[in-house]
Amino acid sequence: MSSTSTPTSPSAPAGSAAASPALSGLGLFTVLLAAALPLIDFFIVNVALPTIGADLAASEAVLELVVAGYGLAYAVLLVLGGRLGDLFGRRRLFLGGMAAFGLTSLACGLAPDAWTLVAARVAQGASAAAMLPQVLATIQATTSGARRAKAMGLYGATAGLAMVAGQILGGVLVAADVAGTGWRSVFLVNVPVVVVGLVLAARFVPETRSSHPEPVDGPGTVLLAVSLLTLLAPLTEGRAAGWPLWTWLSLAAFPFAAAGFYAVERRADRRGRTPLVPPSLFALMSLRRGLVLLVPFGIGFSGFMFVIAVALQRGAGLGPVAAGLALAPMAVSFFFVSLAGPRLVARYGTRVVPVGAVLQGVGVGLMAWAAWRSWPDLGLVELLPGAAVAGAGQALQLPVILRIVLSEVPAARAGVGGGVMITTQQSALALGVATLGTLFLSLIPGLGMRDALVTTLLVQLAGVALTGLLSLRLPRTTS
């Protein structure tokens, strides 16, 4: 597949066509660092929420907005961020988004009250939506063949590791109380990382853009935002708010908003215009089936991370460090297995994905058994076997799924393809907290913490089984 991206460099006149510049090792490191930041920040607050609530006198509903506000802004604006990168230059959007992410992280860390923190988190999510799509688009536009396969494998490994490491890092930072900052350090830690990232990006990340820039689709952008908000907002806030009338009206409006979005995008596609999410993109079997697989995986992953954080702190009485470190075996096994992933895929193809689902299912089952048998003495030792096996299974799934989704997307639409994939992933992560989290918290009054945890883990196990079955329909090989 030939690249249709146009690079710009000091030696090339603006707007001239040339072969896409190669992404150096430091350039890849820089974009992967940026890819880790938004995912870490989605999960880093899980173990910090009790401390934030106590310090800012925030209600449970407001604390959920600290998580949901970030996730909603992030999910709603991702596809737009990808389109803007294609249009104005991916490096430019990457640098601007990263700088904004650092500033909004600083605003989160300095927030004087809960509502200021919520507003800063929304802005932080919007900044992430400008930055992250450029990572995948840059990889797609500046690599090919074995180098792209390796880069996408590292991207998937980074994404999975960031989601687990974020929760561990949050616990360590809250307990360390660096310079008396307490929970604020989970946001302030981003600032020096962003400064380093900006210096590296300015030097090592090449500029690319689509050779045929596509204008922003205003109606599609608005309808996609409405569709995601009418679904995610009531699911994330409904339980804490007591399911008021607006939540049910919002859910009832979702199918109409989604149908309107699809109709507008299909009409634009048929008339030769450039919709925000071209329906023709879904003609790619690899993208279509990969996205379907990403939904139950993301729901189960984020739902588990939220539920286990609540259970270990509120139920088992662990502090933030112990609650975070209880998942260390999952992070370690994910890291090492993901390193072997590219070789396994080269040898066995996408058959590693259903094998990973089986391993993850065994791991979740072991953790459910540990919770049933050992409660309330549940911690690192009790969760270690299940967490390690589940982490290995996840490492055989997530990097491969992400690689499959983008394997056939043309370089000219790399920003759009990356935005669609990350929007699906982020929406699934938000749905996981909203659905499994709501189920768990709703079961506690009637069943108690232990049985609520075990029941929720068994529901997640059903989702893992669904992921495994869907993975059998993946193409056997991937580029």
Side-chain angles (χ1 to χ4, degrees):
M1 178 175 62
S2 61
S3 173
T4 54
S5 292
T6 301
T8 60
S9 67
S11 60
S16 66
S20 291
L23 188 65
S24 67
L26 276 174
L28 179 60
F29 170 81
T30 304
V31 296
L32 291 180
L33 177 68
L37 284 174
L39 288 169
I40 286 174
D41 267 63
F42 184 85
F43 290 93
I44 201 170
V45 298
N46 280 348
V47 292
L49 286 176
T51 311
I52 294 172
D55 188 40
L56 300 182
S59 67
E60 186 179 358
V62 175
L63 286 177
E64 288 198 6
L65 277 175
V66 171
V67 179
Y70 174 84
L72 286 171
Y74 186 21
V76 164
L77 297 173
L78 273 165
V79 179
L80 178 61
R83 171 61 59 83
L84 292 175
D86 288 348
L87 184 62
F88 296 112
R90 293 153 188 156
R91 179 175 175 270
R92 181 181 299 178
L93 263 289
F94 180 82
L95 287 168
M98 180 176 272
F101 191 84
L103 291 173
T104 53
S105 296
L106 181 63
C108 289
L110 299 178
D113 55 63
W115 285 107
T116 302
L117 177 59
V118 169
R121 283 284 280 174
V122 171
Q124 189 187 33
S127 302
M131 175 177 64
L132 192 57
Q134 318 317 326
V135 173
L136 287 167
T138 298
I139 290 174
Q140 288 288 97
T142 59
T143 61
S144 61
R147 291 190 71 250
R148 179 181 294 176
K150 180 180 179 181
M152 285 303 301
L154 288 172
Y155 174 84
T158 300
L161 192 60
M163 290 190 279
V164 181
Q167 204 140 308
I168 298 172
L169 180 62
V172 171
L173 288 173
V174 170
D177 193 21
V178 181
T181 55
W183 60 266
R184 298 178 186 275
S185 61
V186 305
F187 302 112
L188 296 176
V189 71
N190 291 334
V191 178
V193 177
V194 164
V195 171
V196 172
L198 287 171
V199 172
L200 291 173
R203 183 178 179 115
F204 297 108
V205 175
E207 178 67 284
T208 65
R209 57 167 54 89
S210 174
S211 58
H212 302 288
E214 300 173 340
V216 172
D217 172 16
T221 300
V222 171
L223 284 170
L224 177 62
V226 171
S227 299
L228 291 173
L229 285 171
T230 54
L231 174 65
L232 296 177
L235 288 178
T236 51
E237 283 297 300
R239 188 200 60 83
W243 297 106
L245 178 62
W246 73 264
T247 59
W248 299 109
L249 293 176
S250 181
L251 287 172
F254 165 69
F256 297 100
F261 171 68
Y262 177 74
V264 166
E265 298 298 273
R266 186 174 64 171
R267 186 183 305 116
D269 214 11
R270 286 178 172 176
R271 293 180 177 179
R273 298 173 185 167
T274 51
L276 184 71
V277 181
S280 57
L281 203 62
F282 292 89
L284 301 174
M285 183 182 69
S286 56
L287 180 135
R288 187 174 63 250
R289 292 186 178 178
L291 290 180
V292 169
L293 195 57
L294 196 56
V295 172
F297 182 91
I299 288 174
F301 198 114
S302 65
F304 167 79
M305 299 296 286
F306 175 81
V307 166
I308 202 68
V310 173
L312 291 178
Q313 289 190 87
R314 294 188 193 173
L318 299 183
V321 173
L325 290 179
L327 297 176
M330 180 179 288
V332 171
S333 66
F334 188 103
F335 175 73
F336 284 107
V337 174
S338 65
L339 292 179
R343 293 192 298 273
L344 292 172
V345 173
R347 182 170 182 179
Y348 300 108
T350 60
R351 286 175 290 183
V352 301
V353 179
V355 172
V358 171
L359 282 176
Q360 186 187 1
V362 171
V364 172
L366 287 173
M367 286 187 283
W369 172 248
W372 177 267
R373 183 190 59 197
S374 304
W375 190 264
D377 300 318
L378 193 64
L380 172 63
V381 174
E382 292 77 18
L383 290 174
L384 191 153
V389 174
Q394 290 162 346
L396 292 176
Q397 296 175 81
L398 183 60
V400 184
I401 295 170
L402 298 182
R403 181 174 156 188
I404 288 169
V405 170
L406 295 179
S407 61
E408 295 180 300
V409 175
R413 286 185 164 178
V416 177
V420 169
M421 186 186 77
I422 305 168
T423 298
T424 303
Q425 181 187 22
Q426 183 61 36
S427 299
L429 293 178
L431 279 172
V433 175
T435 53
L436 291 179
T438 296
L439 172 66
F440 172 65
L441 295 172
S442 300
L443 290 175
I444 291 173
L447 298 181
M449 185 74 76
R450 184 196 71 170
D451 290 356
L453 174 60
V454 172
T455 301
T456 306
L457 288 176
L458 292 178
V459 171
Q460 187 200 351
L461 191 57
V464 174
L466 175 61
T467 304
L469 291 173
L470 289 172
S471 69
L472 297 175
R473 301 183 67 244
L474 290 174
R476 285 299 181 191
T477 60
T478 181
S479 58

